[in-house]
């Protein structure tokens, strides 16, 4: 019952981060690596048991999202950088924590890319805050309640992961944490990810808009980039 409650809570929170025409799938990232289609695990470099279980859960979640989109279930391969290679005609994103796995999917004619990130709701380690957060982001953290700063740093980390996945769906470029500056609005559950450098077709200063949520023991961030308005 606890697992079912967690699934319903996390999936409902994630559902609220995306438009209605974006579908979603859920799986638990443990147990035997079931549900993989031919070719999906090809090229994985000696995955351990845990990694293979997480990978398989991501594909099961993606397959469920395809069914909900009304399309045939197809293999989701992976590129050399481990990013999912989505079937022609759709865009998507996959994320997992130790306890949950989610996938989102939408038609490529409507959306240029999706971004989704799922993190355990716990403090970001202190030694990572300076790696992940810009001086401006650390300044914002410094005026938040002291007991919340580590957790909000984890939110910034999640928002950057989410924005990275979304931009990669458009640019196919690898970028670092420093390429985005995150501005969260804790009252509305919205955030902006502002490019700090040119990443074609995005110019420095361009903003990607996302939503976030806390609940069910996780931090969730999501964004959907409309096809209209995204160059290239």
């Amino acid at each position: 019952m606890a697992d079912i409650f967690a699934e319903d809570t996390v999936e409902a929170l994630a559902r609220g981060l995306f438009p209605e025409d974006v579908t979603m799938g859920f799986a638990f990232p443990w147990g035997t690596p079931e549900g993989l289609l031919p070719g999906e695990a090809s090229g994985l470099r000696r995955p351990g048991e845990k990694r293979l279980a997480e990978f398989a859960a991501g594909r099961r979640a993606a397959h469920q999202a395809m069914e909900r989109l009304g399309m045939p279930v197809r293999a989701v391969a992976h590129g050399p950088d481990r990013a999912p290679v989505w079937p022609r005609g759709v865009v998507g994103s996959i994320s997992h924590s130790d306890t949950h796995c989610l996938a989102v999917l939408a038609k490529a004619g409507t959306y240029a890319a999706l971004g989704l990130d799922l993190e355990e709701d716990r403090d970001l380690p202190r030694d990572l805050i300076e790696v992940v957060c810009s001086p401006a982001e650390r300044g914002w953290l410094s005026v938040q309640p002291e007991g919340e700063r580590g957790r909000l740093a984890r939110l910034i980390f999640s928002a950057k992961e989410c924005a990275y996945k979304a931009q990669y769906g458009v640019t196919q470029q690898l970028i670092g944490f420093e390429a985005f500056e995150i501005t969260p609005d804790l009252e509305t559950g919205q955030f902006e990810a502002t490019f700090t450098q040119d990443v074609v077709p995005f110019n420095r200063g361009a903003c990607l808009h996302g939503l976030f949520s806390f609940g069910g023991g996780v931090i969730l961030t999501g964004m959907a980039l409309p096809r209209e308005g995204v160059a290239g």
Side-chain angles (χ1 to χ4, degrees):
M1 182 65 69
D3 284 348
I4 294 173
F5 176 77
E7 176 180 351
D8 289 346
T9 300
V10 171
E11 189 169 2
L13 289 172
R15 175 70 270 163
L17 304 181
F18 293 93
E20 291 184 359
D21 55 353
V22 175
T23 62
M24 186 170 297
F26 181 95
F28 289 113
W30 56 65
T32 57
E34 299 175 343
L36 287 170
L37 297 179
E40 286 188 318
S42 299
L44 284 181
R45 297 181 179 178
R46 299 181 182 177
E49 183 177 342
K50 182 175 183 293
R51 166 62 182 147
L52 189 56
E54 292 169 347
F55 182 88
R59 268 46 189 181
R60 291 197 304 275
H63 300 161
Q64 186 181 88
M66 290 180 194
E67 291 176 342
R68 291 175 174 176
L69 194 62
M71 63 176 287
V73 173
R74 299 174 184 166
V76 181
H78 66 99
D81 55 359
R82 297 171 58 180
V85 179
W86 296 98
R88 186 178 180 84
V90 296
V91 294
S93 188
I94 298 172
S95 188
H96 64 78
S97 66
D98 287 342
T99 53
H100 306 84
C101 181
L102 287 166
V104 287
L105 196 72
K107 294 181 179 179
T110 304
Y111 296 98
L114 303 177
L116 169 69
D117 190 65
L118 170 66
E119 300 287 332
E120 298 291 340
D121 188 356
R122 57 174 182 246
D123 289 358
L124 189 70
R126 284 179 177 270
D127 60 342
L128 288 182
I129 292 178
E130 287 198 8
V131 175
V132 171
C133 299
S134 70
E137 290 162 345
R138 295 198 298 273
W140 178 78
L141 288 171
S142 73
V143 299
Q144 304 306 314
E146 186 173 358
E148 288 292 301
R149 292 173 191 170
R151 184 189 193 209
L152 294 176
R154 176 78 67 175
L155 169 62
I156 290 173
F157 173 86
S158 181
K160 289 192 176 187
E161 289 287 307
C162 171
Y164 169 81
K165 292 176 182 179
Q167 74 79 34
Y168 186 85
V170 176
T171 70
Q172 301 294 299
Q173 291 191 47
L174 303 175
I175 58 176
F177 291 118
E178 72 284 352
F180 283 115
E181 193 153 272
I182 304 299
T183 307
D185 186 329
L186 298 179
E187 293 186 0
T188 65
Q190 302 177 68
F191 70 90
E192 288 185 346
T194 303
F195 284 93
T196 61
Q197 61 192 52
D198 293 340
V199 185
V200 179
F202 300 104
N203 295 324
R204 179 180 179 180
C207 289
L208 305 182
H209 300 275
L211 298 173
F212 66 86
S213 186
F214 296 90
V218 301
I219 299 172
L220 289 155
T221 52
M223 62 172 55
L225 306 186
R227 172 68 61 184
E228 183 179 352
V230 175

